[in-house]
Amino acid sequence: MKFGISLPNFGKYASRENILKTAVLAEDLGYDSLWVSDHIVIPDSHEGFGHVFLDPITTLGFVAAKTKNISLGTSVLILPYRNPVVLAKMISTLDTLSGGRIIVGAGTGWMRDEFDALGIPFEKRGATTDEYIEVLKELWTRDSPVYKGNYISFSDIKFLPKPLQEPHPPIWIGGGSERAIERAARYGDGWQPVGLTPEGIKEKLGYLNKLLDEEKKDNFVVSLRRNLEINEDKRFPEEETLRGGPEKIITGIRDYIEASVSHFILHILSGDFKDVLKTMETFSTKIRPAI
């Protein structure tokens, strides 16, 4: 079982100092991965995120220089937002400079107003995402990449550097819909939904495993992004599996393990940033050893 921490690259804690403190502490405490989220603009219709959203690739480049061994991931990168040839270069560079530590969490996106602001067709985001994943793999794995698609075409080019990881950085597809599961089985090395309960994971695993058998895939990772709050003084609904006292959280994680989750991305909820760091320490020293 692996555990990752969501970095504060957005919201009220988004700052150079807080990102650095989180990253260094996570590696010191033995966490397995660090994760950044992705939005380019925040429409006024979705102010719940706050207005500050640091670029995910740039943030991981900063964190890569300040850490040594911990994996670095995107949860998730919205593929239609960026030219895939440029994105392939950014990720392969980041994988090279980080020593092969990148995990590419990727998704289609969901915020129509953001697509509109970027001038990108919202209705075509699924087809665009599928094509862009094919483009990334072609550029990362072929000596003389060639691609002819509906949105991107190229030939007679060289693409270097290749990523350090072979054949390429793992791609984990985000989303809980059937279409996301189908995309994960066809294109991905892992599946990363958000907020599902253990029962919700189990309900969807039957379909996923059927597709993985058809694709003849093994070593496939089921990860989960979930809010974490260690708080014994407040009662939370049962479906808030990782919010409450340590015993409830331990039980919840064991239920997820039984449901085949093997890599958690923990997004910590707390009163202030000092409590975020304290929660990281408490989870590492008191909860993780009990699992």
Side-chain angles (χ1 to χ4, degrees):
M1 172 58 64
K2 294 185 177 182
F3 294 95
I5 292 293
S6 175
L7 285 168
N9 76 307
F10 69 95
K12 61 182 179 179
Y13 302 142
S15 71
R16 179 186 188 277
E17 293 76 15
N18 290 344
I19 288 170
L20 180 58
K21 287 178 181 177
T22 304
V24 171
L25 180 61
E27 186 160 65
D28 288 346
L29 290 172
Y31 285 91
D32 301 284
S33 55
L34 293 165
W35 298 83
V36 289
S37 298
D38 182 26
H39 283 288
I40 295 177
V41 298
I42 305 298
D44 290 341
S45 57
H46 292 83
E47 291 186 346
F49 293 109
H51 293 101
V52 175
F53 223 109
L54 299 174
D55 176 75
I57 301 296
T58 307
T59 301
L60 289 184
F62 168 68
V63 171
K66 302 295 184 178
T67 55
K68 296 180 180 179
N69 300 307
I70 196 166
S71 295
L72 307 170
T74 55
S75 178
V76 293
L77 204 62
I78 303 170
L79 290 190
Y81 286 176
R82 298 169 179 86
N83 179 292
V85 180
V86 177
L87 181 61
K89 171 69 76 169
M90 296 169 72
I91 294 173
S92 64
T93 299
L94 186 57
D95 197 58
T96 298
L97 295 179
S98 69
R101 293 191 275 148
I102 303 305
I103 302 170
V104 182
T108 61
W110 57 272
M111 193 186 296
R112 179 184 288 270
D113 291 351
E114 188 172 19
F115 276 80
D116 292 344
L118 297 172
I120 298 168
F122 182 77
E123 292 77 9
K124 297 180 179 180
R125 67 193 188 283
T128 303
T129 295
D130 292 347
E131 183 167 308
Y132 283 13
I133 295 171
E134 293 176 352
V135 169
L136 294 176
K137 291 183 177 182
E138 179 71 15
L139 291 166
W140 287 340
T141 61
R142 304 289 186 182
D143 291 335
S144 298
V146 176
Y147 192 86
K148 185 172 179 61
N150 294 319
Y151 308 105
I152 295 289
S153 298
F154 51 78
S155 61
D156 303 316
I157 63 171
K158 291 291 185 290
F159 181 90
L160 293 169
K162 302 297 185 189
L164 192 61
Q165 297 180 81
E166 296 181 352
H168 54 73
I171 299 173
W172 296 358
I173 302 299
S177 68
E178 282 196 1
R179 186 66 190 91
I181 292 170
E182 292 163 1
R183 182 174 292 111
R186 181 176 182 185
Y187 293 109
D189 307 293
W191 174 49
Q192 187 187 104
V194 176
L196 291 179
T197 63
E199 293 73 21
I201 294 280
K202 289 177 181 178
E203 287 176 7
K204 295 177 183 292
L205 269 183
Y207 186 46
L208 174 62
N209 288 333
K210 174 180 177 292
L211 296 175
L212 292 175
D213 287 343
E214 293 173 359
E215 295 286 341
K216 295 180 171 57
K217 282 190 175 181
D218 53 15
N219 298 320
F220 189 89
V221 175
V222 176
S223 67
L224 177 73
R225 181 172 175 141
R226 200 73 163 104
N227 290 337
L228 171 70
E229 182 176 355
I230 303 173
N231 188 334
E232 298 186 82
D233 299 326
K234 184 178 177 182
R235 292 182 62 86
F236 296 95
E238 284 303 312
E239 60 269 20
E240 293 285 353
T241 320
L242 303 188
R243 300 180 73 186
E247 289 304 318
K248 178 186 176 184
I249 293 169
I250 290 168
T251 299
I253 291 173
R254 287 175 176 163
D255 289 343
Y256 280 117
I257 293 172
E258 185 182 347
S260 298
V261 174
S262 60
H263 199 133
F264 279 95
I265 293 91
L266 302 173
H267 182 76
I268 296 174
L269 304 178
S270 66
D272 57 36
F273 184 69
K274 289 182 180 179
D275 290 332
V276 171
L277 302 181
K278 182 180 178 181
T279 298
M280 289 172 59
E281 293 181 4
T282 301
F283 184 90
S284 177
T285 58
K286 295 184 179 180
I287 294 178
R288 188 171 188 175
I291 298 166

